[in-house]
Every structure is written in C-alpha cells, then in structure tokens.
Amino acid sequence: MKPLQPILAFTGSVLLAAFILSCSKTSPNLDPRDGSVTFNCCRIAQTTNGTAVRNFTYNSNNDPVSVQSAVVGTGTPNLLFRYNKKGQLIEYSGLYSNGSFEFMHVYGYKNGRITTDTTYTLGPYSNPSAAFSKRYSYLSYDALNRVVEDSEIHLFPLTITNVLHYNYDVNGNLVTGAVAGYDDKMNPHRTNKVWMLVDRNYSVNNPLGATSYNSVGLPLTLQAPPKFSLIMILGSFYYYGSMSIAYDCQ
C-alpha cells in the first residue's frame, strides 16, 4: 500500500486538532468545506449491509479502482473506476457478471475539472451506445469546488430537461432534501474526492444515525435516518437499516 499523505483532518466548520494521527497535518489555509480537501489517512476498505458485503481496492494514487460485491445483482453491481494517464477519473460503472452494466458514467473535462457526466443505463459494456437510455449532465461548481448544480438532458424514452441543485449550510453539510441533522464527526465521503464527486455529496459531517466511530472520528456503524435524501448513493453506500464500514488506516 502506498503511504497515505493526508491533506487535512477536520470536522464541522473548524479545523480539529483532536484528530491526532502520525500522518495528520492541519493548516489554517485550508477550508474543510472545500471539495478539493480530503482526509486520506484512512480509506474505506469494506462495507457491510445485512448480507451485502463489498470490498474496495485502490490504485497507487489511492484512488478507487473497484468495489466487489459478494452478491451481484440489480442494485448491487460490481463497481469499476477508470482513469486517464493524468490520473483523472474518466469512467464510473456498475457491472454485472454477464458483461452488461446497470449504469455507466463517462466524464468529460475542461480546464482540469469534470464538466460533463454522460450516463448510460442498462446495456452491454462493450457497446454503451446500445444502452436502454442516456443522459447528459452539465456540472456547475461553487467557489469551494463542490458540484452545486446538474443541468440534465434525458434522451429516452422522452427528451426531458431537468436541473438539480445541491445546497450546503454554513458548516459545509448538504441540506438538499429533508435533513434530520448532522453529527460533528467526519463524513467518509471526505476520504476520497471520487466519493464526493460521484455521489454529489461534499458534506463535512455525517447525517445523524452513526452509532460508533473509529479513533479519528469516521463512522463505523450507520443507521439510515428517516426522510433524508442523497445519503451515500454510491453503490455499497446505498443502504437500508444499518451499515458497517471498515477502514484501512495508516
């Protein structure tokens, strides 16, 4: 495993000296709400939701390359992440064992930032153009490098346009949808920029429902709070009832 080099340890709206690890560094020049700030002393290694167990693997840059599911099926595909030679994410797909995909996101860049997200739904991995449906999303960011708007064009079965907004409170937590509130600990999305991007969730803290934490404040057990949207939509992060998370920490 490549040594993990942290950028920042944080929670809430202030930097925390409480997160003390040998790899931790804090800086008053970094805003913990910023989408380019990650806490990568720990990375997600495994999630368990009932009988659904998923194992995470990473490349030499500590970015995810796959999430393997013990049971592959609708709603629980294996996840694949592909990067270009610059280390930029260019594809995020949910794959079945028969060579087809549940979804495929293909990302386009402008000035080093993802600005387009082309999504294919239900099709053969070898020929995405044969997918059942296709959607174009044009991403807008705020001054804190968070995706705050998706302008969507759905091409099938009808051509429909839609605009999604992701709003954050002063502490840097997502308030889009019915929110039950947040704790003062670190959201696991913050362990990697890929999780924040694909989920459109840059929250600094966890929605209420975490029942235990590790030594740096990352949740070990989560209960799904009622009437809360956009919580960990990413593959193995999509859960019902309760979910446990294991981390690989330096």
Side-chain angles (χ1 to χ4, degrees):
M1 171 182 168
K2 181 179 177 180
L4 303 180
Q5 298 299 320
I7 298 175
L8 185 62
F10 62 86
T11 191
S13 60
V14 296
L15 306 182
L16 284 190
F19 290 144
I20 303 299
L21 287 180
S22 60
C23 61
S24 294
K25 298 178 182 178
T26 58
S27 170
N29 299 319
L30 296 177
D31 189 328
R33 300 170 300 172
D34 196 300
S36 63
V37 173
T38 58
F39 178 83
N40 52 11
C41 282
C42 294
R43 60 191 187 185
I44 298 166
Q46 185 182 81
T47 61
T48 304
N49 176 209
T51 59
V53 178
R54 294 198 171 193
N55 295 297
F56 293 61
T57 59
Y58 297 81
N59 60 20
S60 59
N61 292 323
N62 290 315
D63 289 323
V65 292
S66 68
V67 180
Q68 299 294 316
S69 178
V71 179
V72 178
T74 303
T76 57
N78 288 324
L79 305 182
L80 172 69
F81 303 86
R82 295 179 57 239
Y83 303 85
N84 61 20
K85 292 181 179 179
K86 296 180 180 180
Q88 298 170 320
L89 180 68
I90 56 173
E91 179 192 321
Y92 160 48
S93 296
L95 306 179
Y96 298 132
S97 55
N98 63 0
S100 62
F101 59 80
E102 183 170 302
F103 60 83
M104 175 187 291
H105 294 264
V106 178
Y107 301 106
Y109 286 78
K110 182 177 181 180
N111 298 324
R113 170 178 281 177
I114 292 176
T115 55
T116 60
D117 177 354
T118 303
T119 306
Y120 303 88
T121 304
L122 298 178
Y125 187 71
S126 59
N127 184 20
S129 62
F132 174 76
S133 66
K134 184 177 182 179
R135 181 184 74 229
Y136 294 105
S137 294
Y138 300 91
L139 282 57
S140 298
Y141 296 78
D142 64 9
L144 290 172
N145 300 303
R146 303 173 297 195
V147 175
V148 291
E149 183 178 283
D150 273 330
S151 297
E152 300 181 334
I153 302 175
H154 300 255
L155 298 183
F156 185 82
L158 300 173
T159 300
I160 300 173
T161 60
N162 186 39
V163 179
L164 300 175
H165 299 278
Y166 311 101
N167 301 309
Y168 291 83
D169 63 22
V170 68
N171 292 321
N173 292 317
L174 190 67
V175 295
T176 300
V179 181
Y182 288 86
D183 63 19
D184 61 352
K185 303 296 193 301
M186 191 187 309
N187 191 309
H189 281 87
R190 283 286 173 172
T191 60
N192 195 284
K193 62 184 181 298
V194 171
W195 307 144
M196 292 186 276
L197 182 281
V198 301
D199 265 2
R200 306 294 197 267
N201 190 336
Y202 295 77
S203 292
V204 171
N205 306 124
N206 305 292
L208 294 179
T211 56
S212 63
Y213 303 85
N214 69 5
S215 61
V216 296
L218 285 163
L220 295 172
T221 306
L222 290 166
Q223 302 293 328
K227 298 182 180 180
F228 193 101
S229 62
L230 296 170
I231 309 171
M232 299 183 177
I233 300 171
L234 167 71
S236 57
F237 284 172
Y238 189 72
Y239 65 99
Y240 299 93
S242 65
M243 183 182 72
S244 62
I245 307 176
Y247 300 92
D248 177 9
C249 296
Q250 182 175 338

